[in-house]
């Protein structure tokens, strides 16, 4: 908004006429409101130059331009929005001077060290501000003479104690009045059974919502968001819903969600799963009543099933149609950790996606899917919004640049100021077997079936529920599984309690390689003063080579170790133990390159994967060998 060219006469005249036309016959009006409706004018007579000059002399300084221009058209205003019943003119405006004693508490809070500059700048507001609310529902309207923009305008701050929020800020008085005009429209709700209130403003904003819908479906989200943001301020139907969908793809699953109601066309397919996922992952709200047949008899059974799946971490998005078939296919890739393939499938199917109602502009139900939500990186969300869909056409976006293969070393690599994803881990990479076949190779004589996809921090609670006893010879091997490359699978344990004991360690590589396969085993433990790294490679049930490095010492070197994987070539054995991590990283990079393998960063670090409890990698103690058991007693 250019406050220098703002047409106050046109703006205030239109607002007055809209207010007069929107009055309900059942409303009781005050006597001055009756006159305002008759005259179709919410304002007063213009302030004279002498009136304005007298106010500026009383204040001791010149008024900001937009407030002065307002006064030249109307010396005050009635009904600025819903809660400011009268804006002061030249007679009523004056310095607030902290007349309610609010300054001390606010200044202490605003002035706290560590607050951002825009918060600290509010210190002293209550003492210095020009107050222009003459009558309101306990709402203060304050012009701040020390918050001045490049155009010379004073910022306006409004605050109401019953909102329990920080003051709202507007760049100028003109911006404040436009916002109050928008608030007036948001609260123009007709009586039950009455037709909706329509005028030139609502028609223009509804047309903007229609243009925004088309722009969104044609892959122009920025254009759509700009139109919807203004339409939402006017309270136009559909604007907030569509803007929320765009924002969710910009912010991820935790975008703000309000409780949906069962009569919404997207209640079961998208809104309820999203709301339940937000609430159960730490958001605010309640969900149980949505599955209560006494409250919602027609939708309760289906709602209860969805709520159960969300709580158990098994919910899958079911949009139906051709796009729904692609979602099923993408979920199959995601459950084995292949996020790139899952996204490729979704991306190719996006033009087939169809909305369920006129305000539906994106498949946001993907964020409730426990397997596919982690696939939606910020880059992929932007690509999704830029892809034409829902029957609209337009230029397709260039695919996001292909990311480098995840490789192996990311699990141990730290960024500046950030700990590595895993300080300790062990893994088995097996060629020629699907992830579902790994329990038969690594699960011992009586392997358990794969568990449903779980997050890494849920493994122990799922596989060892209620465990209270821990033994030094009880090696709990909880393995996530997935695809590690073309014709390779992985089993990964990143939450070990036991450490590698060289004299008791039994590499699972030979067992995993039985039947003509190749298998690679890595055990890395960086928690100790003397870090440990083990590598063993087997083929067709026979150990080909292996070694263990403890601190700076190379132990248990076995077989014909290739030159490129020799401990001394990799950097192990350096005098400083600090060289152990670079050598381990080097080893992981060589393995990834030599064998064409990698671990899926997104799935292991943020997503869910199938898992099973493997056979121990530490043999039981022999007679006379010491071991200990630690037990905990649970008190209720």
């Amino acid at each position: 908004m250019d406050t220098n060219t703002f047409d106050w006469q046109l703006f205030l005249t239109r607002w007055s006429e809209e207010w007069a036309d929107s009055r309900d016959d059942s409303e009781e009006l005050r006597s001055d409101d009756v006159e305002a409706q008759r005259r179709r004018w919410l304002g007063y007579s213009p302030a004279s130059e002498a009136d304005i000059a007298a106010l500026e002399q009383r204040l001791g300084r010149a008024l900001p331009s937009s407030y002065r221009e307002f006064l030249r058209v109307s010396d005050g205003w009635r009904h600025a929005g819903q809660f400011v019943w009268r804006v002061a003119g030249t007679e009523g405006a004056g310095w607030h001077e902290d007349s309610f004693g609010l300054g001390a508490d606010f200044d202490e809070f605003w002035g706290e060290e560590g607050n951002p500059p825009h918060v600290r700048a509010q210190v002293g507001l209550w003492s210095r501000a020009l107050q222009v609310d003459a009558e309101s529902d306990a709402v203060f309207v304050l012009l701040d003479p020390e918050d001045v923009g490049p155009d010379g305008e004073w910022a306006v701050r409004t605050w109401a104690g019953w909102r329990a929020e920080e003051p709202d800020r507007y760049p100028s008085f003109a911006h404040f009045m436009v916002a109050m005009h928008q608030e007036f429209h948001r609260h123009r709700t007709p009586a039950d059974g009455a037709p909706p209130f329509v005028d030139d403003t609502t028609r223009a904003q509804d047309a903007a919502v229609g243009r925004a819908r088309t722009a969104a479906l044609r892959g122009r989200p920025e254009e759509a968001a700009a139109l919807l943001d203004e339409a939402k301020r006017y309270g136009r139907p559909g604007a907030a819903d569509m803007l929320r969908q765009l924002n969710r793809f910009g912010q991820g699953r935790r975008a703000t969600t309000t409780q949906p109601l069962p009569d919404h066309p997207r209640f079961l397919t998208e809104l309820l799963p999203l709301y339940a996922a937000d609430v159960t992952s730490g958001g605010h709200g309640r969900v149980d009543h949505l599955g209560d047949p006494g409250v919602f008899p027609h939708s309760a059974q289906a709602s209860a099933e969805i709520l159960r799946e969300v709580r158990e971490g098994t919910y899958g998005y079911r949009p139906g149609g051709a796009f729904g078939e692609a979602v099923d296919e993408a979920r199959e890739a995601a459950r084995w950790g292949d996020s790139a393939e899952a996204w490729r499938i979704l991306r190719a199917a996006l033009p087939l996606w169809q909305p369920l109602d006129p305000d539906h502009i994106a498949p946001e139900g993907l964020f409730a899917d426990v397997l596919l939500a982690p696939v939606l990186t910020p880059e992929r969300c932007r690509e999704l919004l830029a892809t034409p869909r829902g029957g609209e056409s337009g230029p397709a976006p260039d695919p996001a640049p292909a990311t480098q293969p995840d490789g192996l070393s990311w699990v141990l690599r730290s960024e500046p100021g950030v700990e590595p994803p895993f300080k300790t881990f062990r893994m088995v990479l097996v060629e020629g077997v699907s992830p579902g076949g790994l329990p038969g190779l690594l699960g011992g004589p009586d392997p358990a079936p794969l568990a449903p996809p779980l997050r890494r921090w849920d493994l122990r609670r799922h596989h060892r529920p209620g465990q209270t006893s821990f033994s030094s010879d009880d090696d709990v091997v909880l393995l996530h599984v997935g695809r590690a490359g073309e014709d390779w699978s992985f089993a990964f344990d990143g939450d070990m309690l036991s450490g590698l004991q060289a004299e008791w360690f039994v590499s699972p590589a030979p067992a995993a390689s039985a039947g003509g396969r190749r298998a690679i085993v890595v055990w890395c433990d960086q928690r100790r003063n003397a870090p440990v790294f083990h590598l063993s490679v087997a083929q067709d049930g026979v150990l080909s080579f292996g070694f263990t490095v403890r601190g700076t010492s190379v132990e248990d070197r076995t077989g014909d170790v290739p030159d490129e994987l020799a401990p001394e070539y990799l950097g192990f054995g350096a005098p400083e133990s600090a060289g152990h991590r670079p050598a381990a990283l080097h080893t992981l990079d060589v393995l990834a390159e030599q064998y064409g393998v990698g671990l899926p960063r997104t799935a292991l670090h943020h997503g869910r994967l199938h898992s099973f409890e493997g056979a121990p990698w530490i043999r039981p103690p022999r007679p006379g060998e010491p071991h200990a058991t630690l037990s905990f007693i649970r008190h209720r």
Side-chain angles (χ1 to χ4, degrees):
M1 177 196 300
D2 185 353
T3 56
N4 294 319
T5 59
F6 189 73
D7 192 331
W8 280 104
Q9 186 68 59
L10 177 63
F11 171 67
L12 296 177
T13 299
R14 183 174 73 248
W15 188 350
S16 297
E17 292 174 350
E18 292 171 347
W19 177 85
D21 292 339
S22 69
R23 294 295 92 194
D24 192 299
D25 293 339
S26 64
E27 290 185 71
E28 292 187 11
L29 300 178
R30 301 186 304 183
S31 59
D32 57 339
D33 288 343
V34 173
E35 179 63 16
Q37 185 174 28
R38 186 189 66 79
R39 295 178 55 228
R40 301 174 66 78
W41 178 241
L42 280 171
Y44 300 87
S45 299
S48 67
E49 292 300 322
D51 294 333
I52 296 174
L55 173 60
E56 291 181 327
Q57 183 176 11
R58 176 162 56 87
L59 297 176
R61 63 187 304 165
L63 294 171
S65 176
S66 65
Y67 184 52
R68 186 189 305 112
E69 294 304 315
F70 161 75
L71 293 173
R72 284 173 173 160
V73 175
S74 178
D75 196 5
W77 191 253
R78 303 175 181 88
H79 300 297
Q82 185 75 0
F83 307 106
V84 179
W85 303 322
R86 191 160 60 88
V87 174
T90 55
E91 290 294 324
W95 298 120
H96 186 270
E97 296 180 338
D98 198 14
S99 57
F100 286 81
L102 297 168
D105 289 339
F106 274 89
D107 287 352
E108 181 181 2
F109 172 72
W110 288 336
E112 288 181 358
E113 187 175 352
N115 279 339
H118 72 274
V119 174
R120 294 173 64 88
Q122 296 178 115
V123 172
L125 173 68
W126 295 102
S127 298
R128 67 176 181 256
L130 177 65
Q131 183 175 2
V132 296
D133 57 279
E135 189 179 357
S136 70
D137 185 7
V139 176
F140 295 93
V141 182
L142 308 172
L143 278 71
D144 188 351
E146 293 190 14
D147 188 354
V148 182
D151 55 0
E153 290 290 345
W154 300 3
V156 174
R157 285 188 168 87
T158 64
W159 181 80
W162 44 266
R163 283 178 177 160
E165 296 174 352
E166 281 287 281
D168 292 325
R169 181 187 181 278
Y170 306 92
S172 70
F173 181 76
H175 285 86
F176 161 74
M177 288 293 279
V178 168
M180 295 304 99
H181 178 240
Q182 294 166 340
E183 185 175 273
F184 151 73
H185 272 280
R186 288 199 303 273
H187 288 273
R188 289 297 90 200
T189 54
D192 291 342
F197 172 65
V198 177
D199 61 17
D200 288 346
T201 297
T202 63
R203 281 189 284 267
Q205 291 300 321
D206 288 342
V209 171
R211 295 196 302 276
R213 179 184 298 112
T214 300
L217 293 176
R218 289 180 179 176
R220 303 198 300 269
E222 293 84 3
E223 176 185 340
L227 293 167
L228 292 170
D229 184 64
E230 182 174 10
K232 177 186 175 183
R233 297 175 190 273
Y234 281 98
R236 301 319 301 157
D241 187 2
M242 286 189 277
L243 190 61
R244 179 190 54 74
Q245 294 172 63
L246 294 178
N247 287 340
R248 183 177 288 276
F249 280 91
Q251 300 174 21
R253 194 181 77 177
R254 292 308 304 273
T256 302
T257 301
T258 55
Q259 178 183 301
L261 293 176
D263 59 353
H264 197 288
R266 281 175 271 135
F267 176 73
L268 292 176
T269 55
E270 310 220 358
L271 299 185
L272 175 61
L274 284 168
Y275 181 69
D278 287 347
V279 170
T280 57
S281 63
H284 299 288
R286 50 191 289 265
V287 295
D288 289 339
H289 65 294
L290 296 171
D292 186 342
V295 181
F296 297 109
H298 301 297
S299 61
Q301 183 175 353
S303 297
E305 178 64 15
I306 290 172
L307 294 175
R308 181 190 63 78
E309 291 177 348
V310 170
R311 288 192 184 98
E312 295 177 356
T314 60
Y315 177 78
Y317 180 42
R318 309 177 186 96
F323 184 71
E325 294 175 4
V327 167
D328 292 340
E329 186 181 355
R331 188 181 298 111
E332 179 65 19
R335 76 188 184 102
W336 302 120
D338 198 344
S339 299
E341 176 64 8
W343 172 245
R344 186 197 65 77
I345 295 167
L346 290 175
R347 172 68 176 79
L350 276 173
L352 304 176
W353 175 83
Q354 291 295 324
L356 298 177
D357 60 69
D359 299 334
H360 196 193
I361 57 175
E364 62 173 341
L366 287 167
F367 285 106
D369 190 298
V370 297
L371 294 175
L372 295 178
V375 172
L376 299 177
T377 63
E379 297 77 14
R380 289 167 178 169
C381 285
R382 288 193 290 270
E383 190 175 345
L384 184 151
L385 291 180
T387 301
R389 57 198 180 276
E392 294 290 346
S393 59
D398 293 332
T403 58
Q404 294 296 319
D406 288 328
L408 298 174
S409 63
W410 68 265
V411 300
L412 192 59
R413 194 176 300 279
S414 60
E415 302 295 335
V418 180
E419 290 288 330
F422 299 91
K423 287 186 177 181
T424 179
F425 66 89
R426 53 184 163 182
M427 65 179 174
V428 186
L429 303 163
V430 185
E431 185 180 31
V433 66
S434 69
L438 292 177
L441 299 175
L442 300 168
D446 188 20
L450 289 175
L454 297 169
R455 298 168 297 190
R456 52 187 281 201
W457 50 85
D458 291 331
L459 282 183
R460 194 167 297 277
R461 184 168 60 248
H462 177 86
H463 291 283
R464 291 286 184 101
Q467 183 178 9
T468 59
S469 179
F470 301 89
S471 174
S472 61
D473 61 302
D474 181 17
D475 182 29
V476 181
V477 184
L478 304 180
L479 297 163
H480 266 137
V481 302
R483 296 172 183 155
E486 187 173 354
D487 204 31
W488 284 85
S489 295
F490 72 84
F492 183 88
D493 180 1
D495 187 27
M496 294 179 293
L497 293 180
S498 57
L500 190 149
Q501 304 173 59
E503 66 277 15
W504 291 10
F505 171 65
V506 179
S507 173
S513 68
R517 304 179 181 89
R518 286 188 294 178
I520 304 167
V521 167
V522 172
W523 188 328
C524 180
D525 191 344
Q526 296 283 321
R527 296 173 298 185
R528 306 170 186 274
N529 292 331
V532 177
F533 188 92
H534 168 83
L535 169 66
S536 52
V537 177
Q539 184 163 1
D540 199 16
V542 178
L543 185 67
S544 301
F545 64 88
F547 61 83
T548 301
V549 182
R550 191 179 307 274
T552 60
S553 301
V554 178
E555 305 172 350
D556 304 322
R557 183 165 179 161
T558 304
D560 188 10
V561 181
D563 291 343
E564 65 273 11
L565 286 171
E568 57 275 9
Y569 171 78
L570 295 168
F572 289 111
E576 305 86 6
S577 62
H580 192 280
R581 182 186 294 270
L585 292 169
H586 188 188
T587 306
L588 294 172
D589 286 335
V590 171
L591 290 172
E593 182 177 355
Q594 289 287 322
Y595 294 95
V597 292
L599 295 171
R601 182 194 306 257
T602 298
L604 271 176
H605 203 28
H606 305 291
R608 296 172 184 257
L609 291 167
H610 291 286
S611 61
F612 69 98
E613 181 169 354
W617 295 19
I618 302 296
R619 66 167 176 77
R622 292 169 181 159
E625 292 180 331
H627 69 281
T629 300
L630 182 63
S631 298
F632 296 90
I633 299 175
R634 291 186 173 182
H635 294 281
R636 295 186 177 181

